[in-house]
Amino acid sequence: MWRLRRAAVACEVCQSLVKHSSGIQGNLPLQKLHLVSRSIYHSHHPTLKLQRPQFRTSFQQFSSLTNLTLRKLKLSPIKYGYQPHRNFWPARVAARLLKLRYLILGSAVGGGYTAKKTFDQWKDMLPDLNDYKWIVPDIVWEIDEYIDLEKIRKALPNSEDLAKLAPDFDKIAESLSLLKDFFTTGHKLVSEVIEASDLLLLLGSPGETAFRATDPGSESDKRYKKVSDKEKIDQLQEELLHTQLKYQRILERLEKENKELRKLVLQKDDKGIHHRKLKKSLIDMYSEVLDVLSDYDASYNTQDHLPRVVVVGDQSAGKTSVLEMIAQARIFPRGSGEMMTRSPVKVTLSEGPHHVALFKDSSREFDLTKEEDLAALRHEIELRMRKNVKEGCTVSSETISLNVKGPGLQRMVLVDLPGVINTVTSGMAPDTKETIFSISKAYMQNPNAIILCIQDGSVDAERSIVTDLVSQMDPHGRRTIFVLTKVDLAEKNVTSPSRIQQIIEGKLFPMKALGYFAVVTGKGNSSESIEAIRDYEEEFFQNSKLLKTSMLKAHQVTTRNLSLAVSDCFWKMVRESVEQQADSFKATRFNLETEWKNNYPRLRELDRNELFEKAKNEILDEVISLSQVTPKHWEEILQQSLWERVSTHVIENIYLPAAQTMNSGTFNTTVDIKLKQWTDKQLPNKAVEVAWETLQEEFSRFMTEPKGKEHDDIFDKLKEAVKEESIKRHKWNDFAEDSLRVIQHNALEDRSISDKQQWDAAIYFMEEALQARLKDTENAIENMVGPDWKKRWLYWKNRTQEQCVHNETKNELEKMLKCNEEHPAYLASDEITTVRKNLESRGVDVDPSLIKDTWHQVYRRHFLKTALNHCNLCRRGFYYYQRHFVDSELECNDVVLFWRIQRMLAITANTLRQQLTNTEVRRLEKNVKEVLEDFAEDSEKKVKLLTGKRVQLAEDLKKVREIQEKLDAFIEALHQEK
């Protein structure tokens, strides 16, 4: 009775333990249990199926490696005890009858205890997941809308395949024998149960063991292998890792199939099978907003707080390789140790049927599946970078905008910045280091920018510069994701693997981060494909000790997991900040509109491009006005300008030398020779120059004259620039001079004056020319000899010593001319000596050169006065001209000369007017249009020529409205997708 009572008590206690432990485990999903615990409590559990949980946890990984790695279980070694056989058969029979009962009882007690302990261990292993809520993308819970779950269910392995993956239950039964150590050192109740069972066995059959997992009727000498705890744990972890990798491959295969299906759907839409217009994707709309903001505020100051992923890192740390793995194409130029990223590159990733890339300002698509297009894209990016870099600089802050589309790409906007350097090397600008720091800080100062900090794992962490920079911009690590590259080299080179773990856990840097990732970006060969790098990365982490020894978690490795985490963080940040940014731009728009209404109430809000179009129309209207100038006005202007240009040559080189001759025959011969030489060499060219200058003057007059109230001085700079550039480009027709030479030569050959009116006109023209020359000569003499006695008395002026000498010399030469009014143009040497001696006798010492200079002006005045007198006499000489001056002492050949010159001027002006109106004005109008078109494409030129507060205010209003409209459309689409 005593034994039975003790056994009953033990059974009740064990049952209570079983209920208690099973109650603890009841709400825990089977998938979250250790394999050993699962085999104990659910040995007959059906085939596991993926189910959507009823509540959302704050943590999920982005791969099928979702099970956390096991901690090392502290299992006590098995202690096998043997007792000598006894031949007392009643005890042996009782032991055999009670053996099954105690085995069940012991298994229940031990299983409950093990389950409770396993559950506590798993609770301790779970980290605090509040900081990882952002990792779970919303699309995970909406996956049934995008993926055919029925197809996935059929693709999953059946129960037989899963049974093969299940752990070996014989080994589990073998592990149950370890419970005896827990019973002997554990609770007192368990110890009493063991004592009771041992006592019964001693009384019944002392030759049998206390617990045996074999058939009770078996008498064999089978023994369990003695395996250490560490080997068992390693074996279980190895099996778990293989299981995870198998499901990883299954999931990747399903994702690949899903990608192909989505590609087919997008291709059908592209071909118009569904006859509907595809809308812009969210990421494309968001990228357009960033592009407009980039133009509006190039410095990315407080105006622009929209999120983007900023990729920073030391030079050659692997930034570009990480971006290429995310974009799934080798799109960036490469170089061994040379700085290749010389300006920021904004990469917008979006999903599309074809893997292509295109620039914001270009319509050409580069097929990223073809090596030729990839090489062309890399070359184009390199050319754009070098174009952005100004002379004397190494890097530039101007952004290159690139869109990459392809099936399966994660939607986000990334900005690749130049690598941070520690030392400026030869060939770099002295301020390269400071410029890179300023560019990086400008992007990272955005409070909503996600900082992707790239650290090279193959070099010492102490050599890193970027971590200090990132810690300054984000000291709490709320928007920083740390990425350790080249982990394969780090594992080979680092003597202590725990150092890599310290880097990943953020214990080796002062910088804090939201997440830590480890990636492999290839073997260092630039010709490797993305697929080869991805396979190498997967193979490395599959065999890496870092993952097997739990130094790295499954969700912290591979660029695929990194891409998913960054994309989800990016969209989370966008949803949180985009509406706030839209509100700030609404307030900015209201302020700008109010300022415009107060300052320019009666003017339309025309931005720089609209103002340019308005100015363009005004300029073209003014050019057309040139064709409305009357022919008479053109000819008058041309004739007057041409005579002003050639009058000096005609008087000095033709008329004066010919007038020095003694008879009319010599005069006419000299004139004909001089006119022929002038016509062949100089006259046509001078005429074309005069015509071109006249066209310029008239064009400038139309461009610059005020238009009354309609005149807008904001266009003055632009009009002046257009005028100068058009004149610079315009070139007169080359054949004009040849045709003009023939016309001028024929005009000068004609000597026949038809009527008295032409004769009088020639005399009047000659008098005007000679009087103008006489006036100039008298002014020259006055300057030479000083003021006369009237001016000296009225204006209190005196002559200088030199002027006194000139005056004495002039008086002496005038006496000589009075004695001989027909004196030739030149003084003889004896005459110069005479004049000099006469002046010396009066105490005036002169130089022979001074006498010659004074004589030139004195004789010139005398000659011009004589010519004017002769011209007056010739007024009545037309009758003698008709008779060829026969039986007359009057000869008026000089009048005929001026008539020939006057007629040549009139004919030349008429010819030039025809060329202007028929050809040159149209060509000038064409040049003006070309200049305006060139200016329209040159944004810098428009900014330089159209300036002022009014222009800038209109520009700001246009940009803010455009940004607000795009932001509103993006927010609406974002709400619709949500």
Side-chain angles (χ1 to χ4, degrees):
M1 292 298 292
W2 176 78
R3 294 175 182 174
L4 294 174
R5 190 178 297 112
R6 292 289 297 276
V9 172
C11 293
E12 292 176 359
V13 174
C14 294
Q15 291 175 2
S16 66
L17 289 175
V18 171
K19 290 180 180 180
H20 180 66
S21 61
S22 62
I24 293 173
Q25 194 72 16
N27 295 328
L28 193 64
L30 176 61
Q31 290 81 353
K32 302 267 179 108
L33 287 176
H34 191 279
L35 294 176
V36 177
S37 302
R38 196 188 306 172
S39 65
I40 294 174
Y41 293 101
H42 303 274
S43 59
H44 302 288
H45 195 279
T47 304
L48 299 178
K49 295 182 180 180
L50 296 173
Q51 297 180 359
R52 180 173 176 171
Q54 299 300 323
F55 62 93
R56 304 176 83 172
T57 61
S58 60
F59 178 83
Q60 281 190 350
Q61 290 78 16
F62 294 92
S63 69
S64 61
L65 303 176
T66 57
N67 293 327
L68 294 174
T69 54
L70 298 175
R71 290 188 178 179
K72 298 182 179 181
L73 299 176
K74 297 182 180 180
L75 301 177
S76 303
I78 303 177
K79 296 182 181 180
Y80 299 94
Y82 297 93
Q83 295 183 357
H85 295 274
R86 297 185 181 179
N87 296 324
F88 188 58
W89 63 272
R92 187 179 303 168
V93 172
R96 290 182 178 180
L97 291 176
L98 296 175
K99 189 172 186 179
L100 182 60
R101 175 180 178 182
Y102 286 112
L103 285 174
I104 296 173
L105 176 63
S107 299
V109 175
Y113 178 76
T114 305
K116 183 177 183 302
K117 186 172 181 180
T118 305
F119 177 73
D120 294 337
Q121 290 179 349
W122 278 75
K123 281 182 64 178
D124 296 337
M125 291 170 62
L126 288 175
D128 185 8
L129 305 180
N130 292 329
D131 295 335
Y132 295 88
K133 291 181 180 180
W134 58 271
I135 298 180
V136 183
D138 293 337
I139 197 173
V140 172
W141 306 115
E142 301 171 0
I143 195 169
D144 54 345
E145 299 177 7
Y146 304 98
I147 301 177
D148 190 354
L149 297 177
E150 184 65 23
K151 184 176 180 180
I152 296 176
R153 186 185 65 78
K154 294 179 180 180
L156 290 174
N158 53 26
S159 58
E160 295 180 358
D161 296 334
L162 291 175
K164 294 178 182 179
L165 299 175
D168 190 352
F169 288 99
D170 293 336
K171 295 182 180 179
I172 295 174
E174 181 179 338
S175 300
L176 290 176
S177 62
L178 301 175
L179 295 173
K180 184 175 180 181
D181 182 63
F182 292 101
F183 295 153
T184 57
T185 60
H187 300 290
K188 182 178 180 181
L189 180 60
V190 180
S191 302
E192 291 179 355
V193 173
I194 298 301
E195 287 181 4
S197 62
D198 287 342
L199 181 58
L200 290 175
L201 290 176
L202 287 172
L203 293 175
S205 177
E208 295 292 326
T209 58
F211 289 90
R212 183 174 297 179
T214 58
D215 184 57
S218 176
E219 297 289 342
S220 64
D221 295 330
K222 182 179 180 180
R223 297 181 179 179
Y224 298 105
K225 295 181 179 179
K226 297 182 180 181
V227 185
S228 65
D229 295 343
K230 183 177 180 181
E231 293 177 352
K232 284 182 176 294
I233 292 172
D234 292 342
Q235 188 176 3
L236 290 175
Q237 289 179 347
E238 189 73 24
E239 291 180 0
L240 179 62
L241 186 60
H242 282 296
T243 305
Q244 291 174 337
L245 291 175
K246 181 174 181 180
Y247 280 107
Q248 172 86 6
R249 288 189 289 271
I250 293 174
L251 184 60
E252 289 178 354
R253 179 170 56 84
L254 294 177
E255 287 180 349
K256 185 176 181 181
E257 293 177 359
N258 181 44
K259 186 189 300 183
E260 294 295 329
L261 291 174
R262 288 180 64 85
K263 181 177 179 180
L264 291 175
V265 172
L266 292 172
Q267 286 176 343
K268 289 180 180 179
D269 288 341
D270 243 358
K271 295 175 182 177
I273 294 178
H274 296 300
H275 302 285
R276 62 182 178 88
K277 185 178 179 180
L278 290 176
K279 296 182 179 179
K280 286 185 178 180
S281 64
L282 274 178
I283 192 63
D284 290 335
M285 297 171 67
Y286 185 76
S287 179
E288 288 181 359
V289 174
L290 293 182
D291 288 337
V292 176
L293 276 172
S294 177
D295 296 336
Y296 173 64
D297 185 34
S299 60
Y300 292 100
N301 60 14
T302 55
Q303 298 276 353
D304 179 13
H305 285 170
L306 289 177
R308 72 260 292 155
V309 181
V310 180
V311 185
V312 296
D314 298 328
Q315 184 179 352
S316 303
K319 304 189 315 305
T320 302
S321 299
V322 172
L323 258 67
E324 288 180 336
M325 290 295 291
I326 295 176
Q328 300 181 13
R330 309 300 291 270
I331 58 177
F332 292 104
R334 322 191 70 80
S336 56
E338 181 184 357
M339 177 183 290
M340 301 305 298
T341 306
R342 297 180 177 270
S343 64
V345 181
K346 181 176 76 68
V347 182
T348 302
L349 301 180
S350 59
E351 194 171 15
H354 306 288
H355 203 186
V356 296
L358 66 158
F359 292 98
K360 179 189 72 172
D361 55 353
S362 174
S363 59
R364 178 187 178 184
E365 286 191 351
F366 296 88
D367 190 351
L368 302 183
T369 60
K370 298 180 180 179
E371 188 58 38
E372 309 86 52
D373 282 18
L374 280 172
L377 176 60
R378 290 192 291 265
H379 182 66
E380 180 66 21
I381 292 176
E382 186 174 2
L383 288 180
R384 287 174 178 255
M385 286 183 179
R386 297 188 180 276
K387 182 180 178 181
N388 289 343
V389 176
K390 298 180 181 178
E391 187 177 356
C393 300
T394 307
V395 294
S396 171
S397 59
E398 296 184 22
T399 305
I400 299 173
S401 183
L402 179 67
N403 293 340
V404 178
K405 298 182 180 180
L409 293 181
Q410 298 300 319
R411 304 176 301 169
M412 68 182 94
V413 177
L414 305 103
V415 182
D416 185 21
L417 299 180
V420 179
I421 61 175
N422 189 21
T423 305
V424 177
T425 59
S426 60
M428 293 184 179
D431 62 341
T432 302
K433 180 179 178 181
E434 291 75 14
T435 304
I436 294 175
F437 268 82
S438 63
I439 294 174
S440 302
K441 287 181 179 179
Y443 277 89
M444 289 189 292
Q445 279 174 351
N446 182 356
N448 295 322
I450 301 166
I451 303 173
L452 198 62
C453 180
I454 309 297
Q455 170 63 35
D456 189 350
S458 63
V459 300
D460 295 335
E462 291 78 9
R463 293 168 56 186
S464 175
I465 310 171
V466 71
T467 51
D468 293 335
L469 180 62
V470 173
S471 62
Q472 293 176 10
M473 308 309 298
D474 184 24
H476 301 290
R478 293 173 181 171
R479 52 189 179 90
T480 300
I481 298 177
F482 180 82
V483 182
L484 185 68
T485 61
K486 305 178 185 179
V487 184
D488 51 343
L489 300 178
E491 188 179 31
K492 294 178 182 179
N493 300 335
V494 177
T495 56
S496 176
S498 61
R499 187 173 177 85
I500 299 178
Q501 185 180 10
Q502 291 177 354
I503 296 176
I504 292 296
E505 293 177 354
K507 298 178 180 179
L508 205 61
F509 297 108
M511 181 191 73
K512 297 180 181 179
L514 191 63
Y516 297 87
F517 289 86
V519 298
V520 174
T521 55
K523 301 179 182 179
N525 185 4
S526 60
S527 61
E528 285 182 293
S529 63
I530 297 295
E531 292 75 13
I533 297 175
R534 190 184 296 117
D535 294 340
Y536 172 72
E537 183 183 43
E538 180 182 348
E539 180 183 359
F540 168 77
F541 283 115
Q542 181 178 352
N543 301 321
S544 174
K545 295 180 180 179
L546 300 173
L547 198 61
K548 290 181 179 179
T549 57
S550 301
M551 291 186 182
L552 297 177
K553 302 298 187 297
H555 67 275
Q556 292 181 304
V557 298
T558 71
T559 50
R560 177 179 172 274
N561 288 343
L562 170 65
S563 176
L564 289 166
V566 173
S567 176
D568 186 69
C569 183
F570 168 76
W571 283 107
K572 178 177 180 291
M573 192 75 78
V574 167
R575 292 186 178 93
E576 291 176 354
S577 61
V578 67
E579 293 188 0
Q580 181 182 358
Q581 288 294 302
D583 293 338
S584 68
F585 278 106
K586 287 180 183 178
T588 304
R589 174 179 176 178
F590 176 79
N591 296 335
L592 293 174
E593 288 177 345
T594 304
E595 184 179 358
W596 181 273
K597 291 177 182 178
N598 293 331
N599 294 323
Y600 312 103
R602 297 184 180 181
L603 294 177
R604 287 193 302 128
E605 300 169 3
L606 300 178
D607 60 16
R608 186 170 279 111
N609 292 330
E610 293 170 338
L611 286 172
F612 181 83
E613 290 298 322
K614 183 180 178 181
K616 177 181 177 181
N617 295 330
E618 286 189 9
I619 293 171
L620 293 177
D621 291 341
E622 291 163 357
V623 174
I624 292 175
S625 300
L626 285 174
S627 60
Q628 299 176 357
V629 178
T630 60
K632 181 180 179 181
H633 179 73
W634 278 120
E635 291 183 11
E636 288 178 355
I637 296 175
L638 290 170
Q639 187 170 350
Q640 182 180 357
S641 300
L642 183 59
W643 173 242
E644 290 176 356
R645 181 68 61 86
V646 302
S647 60
T648 303
H649 180 82
V650 171
I651 299 297
E652 302 293 338
N653 299 329
I654 298 177
Y655 174 65
L656 290 179
Q660 304 299 322
T661 58
M662 302 303 295
N663 54 60
S664 60
T666 309
F667 178 87
N668 292 330
T669 303
T670 305
V671 167
D672 291 341
I673 295 173
K674 297 285 185 180
L675 289 177
K676 183 68 170 57
Q677 294 175 350
W678 183 44
T679 306
D680 291 340
K681 296 180 180 180
Q682 299 180 11
L683 183 58
N685 186 22
K686 294 289 184 182
V688 170
E689 289 180 359
V690 168
W692 177 218
E693 291 175 0
T694 304
L695 179 61
Q696 294 180 35
E697 291 174 359
E698 290 296 306
F699 179 51
S700 300
R701 182 172 64 86
F702 280 108
M703 292 280 287
T704 57
E705 68 180 0
K707 305 296 188 298
K709 295 182 179 180
E710 298 180 357
H711 178 70
D712 196 346
D713 57 357
I714 203 171
F715 300 141
D716 291 347
K717 285 185 178 180
L718 177 60
K719 289 181 177 181
E720 185 66 24
V722 171
K723 183 194 73 172
E724 292 178 357
E725 185 65 23
S726 302
I727 291 173
K728 186 185 298 183
R729 294 187 183 184
H730 186 79
K731 186 179 180 182
W732 203 275
N733 192 351
D734 295 334
F735 301 101
E737 290 187 12
D738 297 334
S739 60
L740 194 61
R741 181 179 293 107
V742 176
I743 294 173
Q744 290 171 340
H745 181 74
N746 294 333
L748 291 173
E749 287 291 329
D750 188 8
R751 302 180 185 178
S752 59
I753 303 175
S754 60
D755 53 19
K756 181 74 166 51
Q757 185 178 1
Q758 293 182 3
W759 181 268
D760 293 339
I763 291 175
Y764 179 75
F765 175 65
M766 179 180 175
E767 284 181 345
E768 282 189 341
L770 294 178
Q771 286 176 356
R773 294 294 161 180
L774 179 59
K775 185 177 180 179
D776 293 339
T777 304
E778 288 180 347
N779 290 332
I781 293 174
E782 183 179 357
N783 293 330
M784 183 184 295
V785 301
D788 56 3
W789 66 271
K790 292 182 180 180
K791 290 184 179 180
R792 281 180 288 169
W793 187 78
L794 292 175
Y795 301 107
W796 294 83
K797 292 182 179 181
N798 294 319
R799 291 173 176 171
T800 62
Q801 183 65 32
E802 183 179 359
Q803 288 177 344
C804 292
V805 173
H806 277 289
N807 185 52
E808 293 294 334
T809 307
K810 176 182 77 75
N811 294 335
E812 188 69 25
L813 293 173
E814 286 177 348
K815 292 177 183 179
M816 183 184 298
L817 280 175
K818 286 181 180 180
C819 297
N820 183 12
E821 292 183 355
E822 296 182 356
H823 194 286
Y826 301 100
L827 285 175
S829 57
D830 56 343
E831 294 176 331
I832 295 174
T833 304
T834 303
V835 172
R836 183 179 178 185
K837 288 182 178 181
N838 292 337
L839 291 173
E840 288 178 354
S841 64
R842 295 200 299 267
V844 180
D845 188 12
V846 294
D847 189 80
S849 61
L850 187 143
I851 297 174
K852 291 180 179 179
D853 294 339
T854 307
W855 168 256
H856 176 73
Q857 297 298 333
V858 171
Y859 180 81
R860 182 183 181 89
R861 184 176 63 176
H862 170 72
F863 174 82
L864 291 173
K865 288 180 178 181
T866 304
L868 284 172
N869 292 330
H870 179 73
C871 182
N872 191 26
L873 293 175
C874 289
R875 289 183 182 276
R876 60 182 184 273
F878 180 68
Y879 172 76
Y880 299 103
Y881 166 75
Q882 288 180 327
R883 298 182 60 183
H884 303 289
F885 301 105
V886 177
D887 300 332
S888 175
E889 296 180 357
L890 182 64
E891 293 183 356
C892 298
N893 292 316
D894 49 356
V895 177
V896 177
L897 169 63
F898 277 94
W899 178 83
R900 295 166 68 183
I901 298 295
Q902 187 182 31
R903 186 168 181 272
M904 182 273 297
L905 292 175
I907 294 175
T908 303
N910 181 268
T911 305
L912 293 175
R913 189 265 307 167
Q914 293 180 10
Q915 292 181 359
L916 281 172
T917 56
N918 296 336
T919 306
E920 301 304 327
V921 171
R922 295 179 182 178
R923 293 179 64 234
L924 178 63
E925 182 180 353
K926 182 180 178 182
N927 289 337
V928 171
K929 290 181 179 179
E930 291 178 354
V931 171
L932 288 172
E933 290 176 358
D934 294 343
F935 282 8
E937 297 176 357
D938 193 345
S939 300
E940 295 182 359
K941 184 75 72 175
K942 287 190 288 187
V943 171
K944 181 179 179 181
L945 298 177
L946 293 174
T947 58
K949 180 181 178 181
R950 170 183 155 196
V951 180
Q952 191 59 45
L953 187 58
E955 280 288 305
D956 293 344
L957 262 173
K958 177 191 174 183
K959 291 295 182 182
V960 170
R961 283 172 179 162
E962 185 179 2
I963 293 168
Q964 184 187 350
E965 291 172 0
K966 290 183 179 294
L967 274 176
D968 292 341
F970 172 74
I971 293 172
E972 183 180 355
L974 190 65
H975 290 325
Q976 289 177 358
E977 183 181 83
K978 186 175 181 181

